Amino acid sequence: MVALLPGGMASSSSPIIDLEVVGEPISVSEVVPSSLVEIVPFLRVANEVEAINPRVAYLCRFHGGFEKAHRLDPLSNGRGVRQFKVELLQRLQRENDPTLKGRVEQSDADEIKNFYHEYYRMYIQALQNTADKVERAQLTKAYQTAAVLFEVLKAVDQPIFETHNQVDPDTSIMQCPKIHAAYDALRDTKGLPWPKHHENNAHGDLLEWLQAMFGFQKDNVSNQREHLILLLASMHIRQTSKHEQQPMLDDHVLDTARNKLFKNYKRWCKHLGRKTSLWLPTIQQQVQQRKLLHMGLYLLIWGEAANLRFMPECLCYLYHHMAFELYGVLSGNVSPSTGENVRPFYGGEEEAFLKKVVNPISKIIEMVHFFI
């Protein structure tokens, strides 16, 4: 393994490549296993543009770092590769929502395209005719950065997730067995009672079913689908090493991720002396689907909670009752007043969760703060 030193010299004394090169200070020191040396330029550019455009930095890390690392070492056999992938996935999960909210353009493709063209105009064209040696050196570096941005632009033009809220299984990142396993598990909607206007939807997944039932926003569903797939894939990479072309989602991996996600909720129930709403079916074939529905519901609530996220007891309360409604829907319970199968109290309408749950609670909190 080699270390990248100032001036481009290599040293065999270090097991890592340090991106914190003299003259290129970064906010967070990152290290890359030598078997993944090809992704170093992408991570370096991500650090360089972080302050200017955090979303472009995220795209560089995702497409040039995470996706490329999978292609270079799909089995994570290299020294330190598995740990690096897991840490990078965790960072991407943290940065996705805030950078997406700060995005200027309507899509990631437009965001990186406009940034690339502006960078080319300001640094490449402005320095092309210069004779100054210092500026020529800057031009060389600008060419290298522009090349990286162009590679990311090409990758974004073949998105990991389709614009119509679906995952594309044919893209390169989806060829990672662990990610494909999580993706396939989410597509198992067998036995779910779809609303009438969704009956013919053959391509829906578990999160889209939750959207149809509880009225979550489309963008939130897309974001949390990516969040859940990466969460499961990250745990899968960390806990399993067996390579399969089309693996199933490991039950132990799912349970580990689920226990971690619901740790605070279980504490809340224990504090109040209540049983959790994490009931599982007796039919073994339905257990994994139910666990994924529980996780998906919690992430979708969290994704639209906005400032309510700073009130963890409130999130636990919302999840507790919504999971109880989920249980009623899946059990086929019948309403004594209407004689029809029960449905979520406020679901069915577009953006119902935001309009009928989040906004009213936020207004009450605002009124309380006003009187205080």
Side-chain angles (χ1 to χ4, degrees), residues 111-145:
E111 187 80 7
I112 183 67
K113 185 184 298 182
N114 289 348
F115 186 88
Y116 169 76
H117 287 310
E118 186 66 14
Y119 184 92
Y120 193 92
R121 183 185 66 81
M122 292 182 62
Y123 294 98
I124 305 297
Q125 292 181 344
L127 295 172
Q128 275 181 337
N129 299 321
T130 182
D132 185 270
K133 289 184 178 181
V134 175
E135 291 183 344
R136 295 295 295 179
Q138 292 176 349
L139 178 61
T140 301
K141 182 180 177 181
Y143 269 124
Q144 295 170 349
T145 300

PDB file of all heavy atoms in Angstrom, residues 111-145:
ATOM      1  N   GLU A 111     -27.636  20.295 -11.897  1.00  0.00           N
ATOM      2  CA  GLU A 111     -26.751  20.921 -10.912  1.00  0.00           C
ATOM      3  C   GLU A 111     -25.290  20.734 -11.294  1.00  0.00           C
ATOM      4  O   GLU A 111     -24.510  21.689 -11.346  1.00  0.00           O
ATOM      5  CB  GLU A 111     -27.012  20.319  -9.527  1.00  0.00           C
ATOM      6  CG  GLU A 111     -26.276  21.005  -8.397  1.00  0.00           C
ATOM      7  CD  GLU A 111     -26.962  22.280  -7.935  1.00  0.00           C
ATOM      8  OE1 GLU A 111     -28.086  22.568  -8.403  1.00  0.00           O
ATOM      9  OE2 GLU A 111     -26.379  22.995  -7.101  1.00  0.00           O
ATOM     10  N   ILE A 112     -24.900  19.495 -11.583  1.00  0.00           N
ATOM     11  CA  ILE A 112     -23.501  19.223 -11.919  1.00  0.00           C
ATOM     12  C   ILE A 112     -23.156  19.771 -13.295  1.00  0.00           C
ATOM     13  O   ILE A 112     -22.041  20.239 -13.533  1.00  0.00           O
ATOM     14  CB  ILE A 112     -23.205  17.702 -11.832  1.00  0.00           C
ATOM     15  CG1 ILE A 112     -21.736  17.410 -12.102  1.00  0.00           C
ATOM     16  CG2 ILE A 112     -24.084  16.917 -12.783  1.00  0.00           C
ATOM     17  CD1 ILE A 112     -20.790  17.922 -11.062  1.00  0.00           C
ATOM     18  N   LYS A 113     -24.126  19.760 -14.224  1.00  0.00           N
ATOM     19  CA  LYS A 113     -23.873  20.288 -15.573  1.00  0.00           C
ATOM     20  C   LYS A 113     -23.581  21.787 -15.530  1.00  0.00           C
ATOM     21  O   LYS A 113     -22.602  22.256 -16.126  1.00  0.00           O
ATOM     22  CB  LYS A 113     -25.084  20.018 -16.473  1.00  0.00           C
ATOM     23  CG  LYS A 113     -24.865  20.424 -17.923  1.00  0.00           C
ATOM     24  CD  LYS A 113     -26.140  20.219 -18.737  1.00  0.00           C
ATOM     25  CE  LYS A 113     -26.547  18.767 -18.748  1.00  0.00           C
ATOM     26  NZ  LYS A 113     -27.757  18.541 -19.576  1.00  0.00           N
ATOM     27  N   ASN A 114     -24.411  22.534 -14.823  1.00  0.00           N
ATOM     28  CA  ASN A 114     -24.196  23.984 -14.723  1.00  0.00           C
ATOM     29  C   ASN A 114     -22.910  24.306 -13.977  1.00  0.00           C
ATOM     30  O   ASN A 114     -22.189  25.244 -14.335  1.00  0.00           O
ATOM     31  CB  ASN A 114     -25.387  24.639 -14.028  1.00  0.00           C
ATOM     32  CG  ASN A 114     -26.630  24.636 -14.892  1.00  0.00           C
ATOM     33  OD1 ASN A 114     -26.565  24.347 -16.077  1.00  0.00           O
ATOM     34  ND2 ASN A 114     -27.771  24.944 -14.306  1.00  0.00           N
ATOM     35  N   PHE A 115     -22.616  23.548 -12.935  1.00  0.00           N
ATOM     36  CA  PHE A 115     -21.392  23.775 -12.180  1.00  0.00           C
ATOM     37  C   PHE A 115     -20.175  23.492 -13.054  1.00  0.00           C
ATOM     38  O   PHE A 115     -19.197  24.254 -13.035  1.00  0.00           O
ATOM     39  CB  PHE A 115     -21.367  22.879 -10.938  1.00  0.00           C
ATOM     40  CG  PHE A 115     -20.210  23.156 -10.025  1.00  0.00           C
ATOM     41  CD1 PHE A 115     -20.311  24.126  -9.035  1.00  0.00           C
ATOM     42  CD2 PHE A 115     -19.009  22.466 -10.146  1.00  0.00           C
ATOM     43  CE1 PHE A 115     -19.241  24.403  -8.186  1.00  0.00           C
ATOM     44  CE2 PHE A 115     -17.940  22.729  -9.308  1.00  0.00           C
ATOM     45  CZ  PHE A 115     -18.051  23.694  -8.334  1.00  0.00           C
ATOM     46  N   TYR A 116     -20.238  22.419 -13.831  1.00  0.00           N
ATOM     47  CA  TYR A 116     -19.119  22.066 -14.713  1.00  0.00           C
ATOM     48  C   TYR A 116     -18.884  23.152 -15.756  1.00  0.00           C
ATOM     49  O   TYR A 116     -17.742  23.581 -15.986  1.00  0.00           O
ATOM     50  CB  TYR A 116     -19.400  20.735 -15.407  1.00  0.00           C
ATOM     51  CG  TYR A 116     -18.434  20.419 -16.528  1.00  0.00           C
ATOM     52  CD1 TYR A 116     -17.137  19.987 -16.259  1.00  0.00           C
ATOM     53  CD2 TYR A 116     -18.823  20.567 -17.864  1.00  0.00           C
ATOM     54  CE1 TYR A 116     -16.253  19.702 -17.285  1.00  0.00           C
ATOM     55  CE2 TYR A 116     -17.944  20.291 -18.886  1.00  0.00           C
ATOM     56  CZ  TYR A 116     -16.661  19.860 -18.598  1.00  0.00           C
ATOM     57  OH  TYR A 116     -15.782  19.595 -19.616  1.00  0.00           O
ATOM     58  N   HIS A 117     -19.949  23.626 -16.412  1.00  0.00           N
ATOM     59  CA  HIS A 117     -19.799  24.657 -17.443  1.00  0.00           C
ATOM     60  C   HIS A 117     -19.273  25.956 -16.846  1.00  0.00           C
ATOM     61  O   HIS A 117     -18.434  26.643 -17.452  1.00  0.00           O
ATOM     62  CB  HIS A 117     -21.137  24.900 -18.140  1.00  0.00           C
ATOM     63  CG  HIS A 117     -21.537  23.784 -19.056  1.00  0.00           C
ATOM     64  ND1 HIS A 117     -20.683  23.264 -20.002  1.00  0.00           N
ATOM     65  CD2 HIS A 117     -22.696  23.089 -19.180  1.00  0.00           C
ATOM     66  CE1 HIS A 117     -21.293  22.301 -20.666  1.00  0.00           C
ATOM     67  NE2 HIS A 117     -22.522  22.161 -20.183  1.00  0.00           N
ATOM     68  N   GLU A 118     -19.752  26.315 -15.659  1.00  0.00           N
ATOM     69  CA  GLU A 118     -19.289  27.541 -15.013  1.00  0.00           C
ATOM     70  C   GLU A 118     -17.819  27.409 -14.608  1.00  0.00           C
ATOM     71  O   GLU A 118     -17.036  28.357 -14.763  1.00  0.00           O
ATOM     72  CB  GLU A 118     -20.154  27.832 -13.782  1.00  0.00           C
ATOM     73  CG  GLU A 118     -19.856  29.158 -13.112  1.00  0.00           C
ATOM     74  CD  GLU A 118     -20.207  30.370 -13.970  1.00  0.00           C
ATOM     75  OE1 GLU A 118     -20.923  30.198 -14.983  1.00  0.00           O
ATOM     76  OE2 GLU A 118     -19.754  31.480 -13.636  1.00  0.00           O
ATOM     77  N   TYR A 119     -17.456  26.256 -14.113  1.00  0.00           N
ATOM     78  CA  TYR A 119     -16.059  26.028 -13.742  1.00  0.00           C
ATOM     79  C   TYR A 119     -15.170  26.104 -14.973  1.00  0.00           C
ATOM     80  O   TYR A 119     -14.089  26.709 -14.941  1.00  0.00           O
ATOM     81  CB  TYR A 119     -15.912  24.658 -13.070  1.00  0.00           C
ATOM     82  CG  TYR A 119     -14.512  24.382 -12.554  1.00  0.00           C
ATOM     83  CD1 TYR A 119     -14.146  24.705 -11.248  1.00  0.00           C
ATOM     84  CD2 TYR A 119     -13.535  23.821 -13.376  1.00  0.00           C
ATOM     85  CE1 TYR A 119     -12.865  24.483 -10.785  1.00  0.00           C
ATOM     86  CE2 TYR A 119     -12.249  23.588 -12.921  1.00  0.00           C
ATOM     87  CZ  TYR A 119     -11.925  23.917 -11.622  1.00  0.00           C
ATOM     88  OH  TYR A 119     -10.648  23.693 -11.160  1.00  0.00           O
ATOM     89  N   TYR A 120     -15.596  25.503 -16.070  1.00  0.00           N
ATOM     90  CA  TYR A 120     -14.807  25.518 -17.305  1.00  0.00           C
ATOM     91  C   TYR A 120     -14.624  26.945 -17.811  1.00  0.00           C
ATOM     92  O   TYR A 120     -13.540  27.338 -18.258  1.00  0.00           O
ATOM     93  CB  TYR A 120     -15.500  24.665 -18.364  1.00  0.00           C
ATOM     94  CG  TYR A 120     -14.627  24.358 -19.555  1.00  0.00           C
ATOM     95  CD1 TYR A 120     -13.852  23.210 -19.588  1.00  0.00           C
ATOM     96  CD2 TYR A 120     -14.564  25.217 -20.650  1.00  0.00           C
ATOM     97  CE1 TYR A 120     -13.036  22.930 -20.674  1.00  0.00           C
ATOM     98  CE2 TYR A 120     -13.757  24.935 -21.738  1.00  0.00           C
ATOM     99  CZ  TYR A 120     -13.000  23.792 -21.747  1.00  0.00           C
ATOM    100  OH  TYR A 120     -12.193  23.516 -22.816  1.00  0.00           O
ATOM    101  N   ARG A 121     -15.694  27.729 -17.742  1.00  0.00           N
ATOM    102  CA  ARG A 121     -15.619  29.104 -18.224  1.00  0.00           C
ATOM    103  C   ARG A 121     -14.688  29.947 -17.353  1.00  0.00           C
ATOM    104  O   ARG A 121     -13.879  30.722 -17.864  1.00  0.00           O
ATOM    105  CB  ARG A 121     -17.024  29.734 -18.230  1.00  0.00           C
ATOM    106  CG  ARG A 121     -17.065  31.149 -18.778  1.00  0.00           C
ATOM    107  CD  ARG A 121     -18.458  31.743 -18.630  1.00  0.00           C
ATOM    108  NE  ARG A 121     -18.811  31.933 -17.227  1.00  0.00           N
ATOM    109  CZ  ARG A 121     -18.421  32.969 -16.499  1.00  0.00           C
ATOM    110  NH1 ARG A 121     -17.643  33.914 -17.032  1.00  0.00           N
ATOM    111  NH2 ARG A 121     -18.786  33.080 -15.238  1.00  0.00           N
ATOM    112  N   MET A 122     -14.775  29.780 -16.039  1.00  0.00           N
ATOM    113  CA  MET A 122     -14.032  30.642 -15.132  1.00  0.00           C
ATOM    114  C   MET A 122     -12.553  30.271 -15.025  1.00  0.00           C
ATOM    115  O   MET A 122     -11.708  31.136 -14.835  1.00  0.00           O
ATOM    116  CB  MET A 122     -14.664  30.610 -13.736  1.00  0.00           C
ATOM    117  CG  MET A 122     -16.036  31.253 -13.660  1.00  0.00           C
ATOM    118  SD  MET A 122     -16.707  31.232 -11.968  1.00  0.00           S
ATOM    119  CE  MET A 122     -15.483  32.228 -11.121  1.00  0.00           C
ATOM    120  N   TYR A 123     -12.239  28.984 -15.153  1.00  0.00           N
ATOM    121  CA  TYR A 123     -10.863  28.551 -14.897  1.00  0.00           C
ATOM    122  C   TYR A 123     -10.134  28.056 -16.143  1.00  0.00           C
ATOM    123  O   TYR A 123      -8.936  28.301 -16.296  1.00  0.00           O
ATOM    124  CB  TYR A 123     -10.853  27.456 -13.824  1.00  0.00           C
ATOM    125  CG  TYR A 123     -11.302  27.956 -12.482  1.00  0.00           C
ATOM    126  CD1 TYR A 123     -12.616  27.773 -12.057  1.00  0.00           C
ATOM    127  CD2 TYR A 123     -10.429  28.633 -11.633  1.00  0.00           C
ATOM    128  CE1 TYR A 123     -13.040  28.239 -10.818  1.00  0.00           C
ATOM    129  CE2 TYR A 123     -10.840  29.106 -10.403  1.00  0.00           C
ATOM    130  CZ  TYR A 123     -12.143  28.907 -10.001  1.00  0.00           C
ATOM    131  OH  TYR A 123     -12.564  29.379  -8.785  1.00  0.00           O
ATOM    132  N   ILE A 124     -10.819  27.364 -17.016  1.00  0.00           N
ATOM    133  CA  ILE A 124     -10.148  26.829 -18.210  1.00  0.00           C
ATOM    134  C   ILE A 124     -10.020  27.906 -19.278  1.00  0.00           C
ATOM    135  O   ILE A 124      -8.917  28.242 -19.730  1.00  0.00           O
ATOM    136  CB  ILE A 124     -10.888  25.603 -18.755  1.00  0.00           C
ATOM    137  CG1 ILE A 124     -11.052  24.539 -17.671  1.00  0.00           C
ATOM    138  CG2 ILE A 124     -10.152  25.041 -19.963  1.00  0.00           C
ATOM    139  CD1 ILE A 124      -9.764  23.980 -17.140  1.00  0.00           C
ATOM    140  N   GLN A 125     -11.152  28.458 -19.692  1.00  0.00           N
ATOM    141  CA  GLN A 125     -11.124  29.459 -20.754  1.00  0.00           C
ATOM    142  C   GLN A 125     -10.358  30.703 -20.338  1.00  0.00           C
ATOM    143  O   GLN A 125      -9.660  31.316 -21.157  1.00  0.00           O
ATOM    144  CB  GLN A 125     -12.562  29.825 -21.157  1.00  0.00           C
ATOM    145  CG  GLN A 125     -13.313  28.695 -21.839  1.00  0.00           C
ATOM    146  CD  GLN A 125     -14.715  29.102 -22.240  1.00  0.00           C
ATOM    147  OE1 GLN A 125     -15.250  30.110 -21.770  1.00  0.00           O
ATOM    148  NE2 GLN A 125     -15.325  28.317 -23.115  1.00  0.00           N
ATOM    149  N   ALA A 126     -10.464  31.075 -19.072  1.00  0.00           N
ATOM    150  CA  ALA A 126      -9.792  32.287 -18.609  1.00  0.00           C
ATOM    151  C   ALA A 126      -8.275  32.138 -18.583  1.00  0.00           C
ATOM    152  O   ALA A 126      -7.543  33.133 -18.668  1.00  0.00           O
ATOM    153  CB  ALA A 126     -10.294  32.656 -17.220  1.00  0.00           C
ATOM    154  N   LEU A 127      -7.782  30.900 -18.481  1.00  0.00           N
ATOM    155  CA  LEU A 127      -6.339  30.685 -18.362  1.00  0.00           C
ATOM    156  C   LEU A 127      -5.701  30.072 -19.604  1.00  0.00           C
ATOM    157  O   LEU A 127      -4.485  29.885 -19.645  1.00  0.00           O
ATOM    158  CB  LEU A 127      -6.058  29.760 -17.155  1.00  0.00           C
ATOM    159  CG  LEU A 127      -6.399  30.307 -15.763  1.00  0.00           C
ATOM    160  CD1 LEU A 127      -6.246  29.215 -14.718  1.00  0.00           C
ATOM    161  CD2 LEU A 127      -5.512  31.504 -15.427  1.00  0.00           C
ATOM    162  N   GLN A 128      -6.497  29.771 -20.628  1.00  0.00           N
ATOM    163  CA  GLN A 128      -5.971  29.041 -21.780  1.00  0.00           C
ATOM    164  C   GLN A 128      -4.877  29.806 -22.525  1.00  0.00           C
ATOM    165  O   GLN A 128      -3.935  29.205 -23.035  1.00  0.00           O
ATOM    166  CB  GLN A 128      -7.116  28.693 -22.740  1.00  0.00           C
ATOM    167  CG  GLN A 128      -7.835  27.412 -22.358  1.00  0.00           C
ATOM    168  CD  GLN A 128      -8.935  27.086 -23.342  1.00  0.00           C
ATOM    169  OE1 GLN A 128      -9.451  27.962 -24.043  1.00  0.00           O
ATOM    170  NE2 GLN A 128      -9.317  25.827 -23.405  1.00  0.00           N
ATOM    171  N   ASN A 129      -4.990  31.090 -22.604  1.00  0.00           N
ATOM    172  CA  ASN A 129      -4.040  31.886 -23.405  1.00  0.00           C
ATOM    173  C   ASN A 129      -2.951  32.551 -22.567  1.00  0.00           C
ATOM    174  O   ASN A 129      -2.213  33.400 -23.068  1.00  0.00           O
ATOM    175  CB  ASN A 129      -4.796  32.954 -24.199  1.00  0.00           C
ATOM    176  CG  ASN A 129      -5.787  32.348 -25.168  1.00  0.00           C
ATOM    177  OD1 ASN A 129      -5.481  31.320 -25.792  1.00  0.00           O
ATOM    178  ND2 ASN A 129      -6.947  32.964 -25.310  1.00  0.00           N
ATOM    179  N   THR A 130      -2.848  32.164 -21.330  1.00  0.00           N
ATOM    180  CA  THR A 130      -1.860  32.802 -20.472  1.00  0.00           C
ATOM    181  C   THR A 130      -0.462  32.235 -20.731  1.00  0.00           C
ATOM    182  O   THR A 130      -0.310  31.081 -21.117  1.00  0.00           O
ATOM    183  CB  THR A 130      -2.223  32.608 -18.985  1.00  0.00           C
ATOM    184  OG1 THR A 130      -1.267  33.293 -18.189  1.00  0.00           O
ATOM    185  CG2 THR A 130      -2.186  31.134 -18.599  1.00  0.00           C
ATOM    186  N   ALA A 131       0.556  33.060 -20.503  1.00  0.00           N
ATOM    187  CA  ALA A 131       1.945  32.634 -20.656  1.00  0.00           C
ATOM    188  C   ALA A 131       2.653  32.553 -19.311  1.00  0.00           C
ATOM    189  O   ALA A 131       3.786  32.066 -19.222  1.00  0.00           O
ATOM    190  CB  ALA A 131       2.698  33.598 -21.578  1.00  0.00           C
ATOM    191  N   ASP A 132       1.996  33.033 -18.270  1.00  0.00           N
ATOM    192  CA  ASP A 132       2.595  33.023 -16.941  1.00  0.00           C
ATOM    193  C   ASP A 132       2.725  31.589 -16.415  1.00  0.00           C
ATOM    194  O   ASP A 132       1.791  30.800 -16.502  1.00  0.00           O
ATOM    195  CB  ASP A 132       1.712  33.851 -15.998  1.00  0.00           C
ATOM    196  CG  ASP A 132       2.349  33.993 -14.628  1.00  0.00           C
ATOM    197  OD1 ASP A 132       2.076  33.113 -13.780  1.00  0.00           O
ATOM    198  OD2 ASP A 132       3.115  34.953 -14.421  1.00  0.00           O
ATOM    199  N   LYS A 133       3.891  31.254 -15.874  1.00  0.00           N
ATOM    200  CA  LYS A 133       4.140  29.881 -15.427  1.00  0.00           C
ATOM    201  C   LYS A 133       3.211  29.493 -14.271  1.00  0.00           C
ATOM    202  O   LYS A 133       2.745  28.358 -14.200  1.00  0.00           O
ATOM    203  CB  LYS A 133       5.599  29.730 -14.998  1.00  0.00           C
ATOM    204  CG  LYS A 133       6.594  29.773 -16.155  1.00  0.00           C
ATOM    205  CD  LYS A 133       7.998  29.517 -15.657  1.00  0.00           C
ATOM    206  CE  LYS A 133       8.983  29.519 -16.828  1.00  0.00           C
ATOM    207  NZ  LYS A 133      10.383  29.249 -16.374  1.00  0.00           N
ATOM    208  N   VAL A 134       2.998  30.433 -13.349  1.00  0.00           N
ATOM    209  CA  VAL A 134       2.127  30.132 -12.212  1.00  0.00           C
ATOM    210  C   VAL A 134       0.714  29.855 -12.688  1.00  0.00           C
ATOM    211  O   VAL A 134       0.065  28.889 -12.263  1.00  0.00           O
ATOM    212  CB  VAL A 134       2.136  31.299 -11.204  1.00  0.00           C
ATOM    213  CG1 VAL A 134       1.124  31.037 -10.079  1.00  0.00           C
ATOM    214  CG2 VAL A 134       3.537  31.490 -10.637  1.00  0.00           C
ATOM    215  N   GLU A 135       0.237  30.691 -13.607  1.00  0.00           N
ATOM    216  CA  GLU A 135      -1.109  30.499 -14.121  1.00  0.00           C
ATOM    217  C   GLU A 135      -1.205  29.241 -14.973  1.00  0.00           C
ATOM    218  O   GLU A 135      -2.253  28.589 -15.014  1.00  0.00           O
ATOM    219  CB  GLU A 135      -1.540  31.725 -14.925  1.00  0.00           C
ATOM    220  CG  GLU A 135      -1.757  32.967 -14.054  1.00  0.00           C
ATOM    221  CD  GLU A 135      -2.250  34.162 -14.854  1.00  0.00           C
ATOM    222  OE1 GLU A 135      -2.139  34.121 -16.089  1.00  0.00           O
ATOM    223  OE2 GLU A 135      -2.754  35.114 -14.243  1.00  0.00           O
ATOM    224  N   ARG A 136      -0.123  28.868 -15.653  1.00  0.00           N
ATOM    225  CA  ARG A 136      -0.113  27.627 -16.427  1.00  0.00           C
ATOM    226  C   ARG A 136      -0.237  26.422 -15.493  1.00  0.00           C
ATOM    227  O   ARG A 136      -0.914  25.446 -15.808  1.00  0.00           O
ATOM    228  CB  ARG A 136       1.172  27.514 -17.243  1.00  0.00           C
ATOM    229  CG  ARG A 136       1.327  28.561 -18.331  1.00  0.00           C
ATOM    230  CD  ARG A 136       0.264  28.425 -19.402  1.00  0.00           C
ATOM    231  NE  ARG A 136       0.373  27.177 -20.151  1.00  0.00           N
ATOM    232  CZ  ARG A 136      -0.471  26.827 -21.126  1.00  0.00           C
ATOM    233  NH1 ARG A 136      -1.485  27.619 -21.431  1.00  0.00           N
ATOM    234  NH2 ARG A 136      -0.307  25.699 -21.764  1.00  0.00           N
ATOM    235  N   ALA A 137       0.407  26.507 -14.336  1.00  0.00           N
ATOM    236  CA  ALA A 137       0.292  25.434 -13.356  1.00  0.00           C
ATOM    237  C   ALA A 137      -1.146  25.350 -12.824  1.00  0.00           C
ATOM    238  O   ALA A 137      -1.686  24.252 -12.625  1.00  0.00           O
ATOM    239  CB  ALA A 137       1.266  25.659 -12.213  1.00  0.00           C
ATOM    240  N   GLN A 138      -1.748  26.514 -12.632  1.00  0.00           N
ATOM    241  CA  GLN A 138      -3.132  26.537 -12.200  1.00  0.00           C
ATOM    242  C   GLN A 138      -4.047  25.949 -13.268  1.00  0.00           C
ATOM    243  O   GLN A 138      -5.026  25.269 -12.952  1.00  0.00           O
ATOM    244  CB  GLN A 138      -3.548  27.974 -11.869  1.00  0.00           C
ATOM    245  CG  GLN A 138      -2.850  28.552 -10.643  1.00  0.00           C
ATOM    246  CD  GLN A 138      -3.219  30.007 -10.421  1.00  0.00           C
ATOM    247  OE1 GLN A 138      -3.827  30.645 -11.286  1.00  0.00           O
ATOM    248  NE2 GLN A 138      -2.854  30.545  -9.261  1.00  0.00           N
ATOM    249  N   LEU A 139      -3.719  26.221 -14.521  1.00  0.00           N
ATOM    250  CA  LEU A 139      -4.503  25.681 -15.624  1.00  0.00           C
ATOM    251  C   LEU A 139      -4.428  24.152 -15.651  1.00  0.00           C
ATOM    252  O   LEU A 139      -5.438  23.478 -15.880  1.00  0.00           O
ATOM    253  CB  LEU A 139      -4.010  26.261 -16.951  1.00  0.00           C
ATOM    254  CG  LEU A 139      -4.722  25.754 -18.219  1.00  0.00           C
ATOM    255  CD1 LEU A 139      -6.209  26.102 -18.170  1.00  0.00           C
ATOM    256  CD2 LEU A 139      -4.073  26.350 -19.469  1.00  0.00           C
ATOM    257  N   THR A 140      -3.234  23.614 -15.404  1.00  0.00           N
ATOM    258  CA  THR A 140      -3.078  22.161 -15.376  1.00  0.00           C
ATOM    259  C   THR A 140      -3.956  21.538 -14.296  1.00  0.00           C
ATOM    260  O   THR A 140      -4.639  20.530 -14.529  1.00  0.00           O
ATOM    261  CB  THR A 140      -1.603  21.785 -15.112  1.00  0.00           C
ATOM    262  OG1 THR A 140      -0.795  22.341 -16.148  1.00  0.00           O
ATOM    263  CG2 THR A 140      -1.417  20.279 -15.069  1.00  0.00           C
ATOM    264  N   LYS A 141      -3.928  22.146 -13.126  1.00  0.00           N
ATOM    265  CA  LYS A 141      -4.768  21.650 -12.035  1.00  0.00           C
ATOM    266  C   LYS A 141      -6.250  21.810 -12.368  1.00  0.00           C
ATOM    267  O   LYS A 141      -7.073  20.929 -12.061  1.00  0.00           O
ATOM    268  CB  LYS A 141      -4.436  22.402 -10.750  1.00  0.00           C
ATOM    269  CG  LYS A 141      -5.244  21.920  -9.555  1.00  0.00           C
ATOM    270  CD  LYS A 141      -4.874  22.694  -8.295  1.00  0.00           C
ATOM    271  CE  LYS A 141      -5.743  22.241  -7.127  1.00  0.00           C
ATOM    272  NZ  LYS A 141      -5.438  22.977  -5.888  1.00  0.00           N
ATOM    273  N   ALA A 142      -6.608  22.928 -13.021  1.00  0.00           N
ATOM    274  CA  ALA A 142      -8.000  23.155 -13.394  1.00  0.00           C
ATOM    275  C   ALA A 142      -8.473  22.107 -14.390  1.00  0.00           C
ATOM    276  O   ALA A 142      -9.621  21.646 -14.334  1.00  0.00           O
ATOM    277  CB  ALA A 142      -8.169  24.558 -13.979  1.00  0.00           C
ATOM    278  N   TYR A 143      -7.588  21.697 -15.323  1.00  0.00           N
ATOM    279  CA  TYR A 143      -7.931  20.642 -16.272  1.00  0.00           C
ATOM    280  C   TYR A 143      -8.224  19.330 -15.536  1.00  0.00           C
ATOM    281  O   TYR A 143      -9.163  18.601 -15.885  1.00  0.00           O
ATOM    282  CB  TYR A 143      -6.787  20.425 -17.262  1.00  0.00           C
ATOM    283  CG  TYR A 143      -6.885  21.265 -18.514  1.00  0.00           C
ATOM    284  CD1 TYR A 143      -5.854  22.115 -18.888  1.00  0.00           C
ATOM    285  CD2 TYR A 143      -8.021  21.206 -19.324  1.00  0.00           C
ATOM    286  CE1 TYR A 143      -5.934  22.897 -20.034  1.00  0.00           C
ATOM    287  CE2 TYR A 143      -8.106  21.984 -20.476  1.00  0.00           C
ATOM    288  CZ  TYR A 143      -7.069  22.824 -20.830  1.00  0.00           C
ATOM    289  OH  TYR A 143      -7.155  23.591 -21.955  1.00  0.00           O
ATOM    290  N   GLN A 144      -7.419  19.032 -14.538  1.00  0.00           N
ATOM    291  CA  GLN A 144      -7.621  17.806 -13.780  1.00  0.00           C
ATOM    292  C   GLN A 144      -8.956  17.822 -13.044  1.00  0.00           C
ATOM    293  O   GLN A 144      -9.693  16.832 -13.038  1.00  0.00           O
ATOM    294  CB  GLN A 144      -6.466  17.618 -12.791  1.00  0.00           C
ATOM    295  CG  GLN A 144      -5.116  17.400 -13.459  1.00  0.00           C
ATOM    296  CD  GLN A 144      -3.970  17.449 -12.474  1.00  0.00           C
ATOM    297  OE1 GLN A 144      -4.127  17.847 -11.318  1.00  0.00           O
ATOM    298  NE2 GLN A 144      -2.788  17.036 -12.923  1.00  0.00           N
ATOM    299  N   THR A 145      -9.268  18.961 -12.441  1.00  0.00           N
ATOM    300  CA  THR A 145     -10.546  19.091 -11.737  1.00  0.00           C
ATOM    301  C   THR A 145     -11.717  19.006 -12.705  1.00  0.00           C
ATOM    302  O   THR A 145     -12.720  18.331 -12.432  1.00  0.00           O
ATOM    303  CB  THR A 145     -10.602  20.420 -10.972  1.00  0.00           C
ATOM    304  OG1 THR A 145      -9.536  20.462 -10.020  1.00  0.00           O
ATOM    305  CG2 THR A 145     -11.932  20.586 -10.252  1.00  0.00           C
TER     306      THR A 145
END
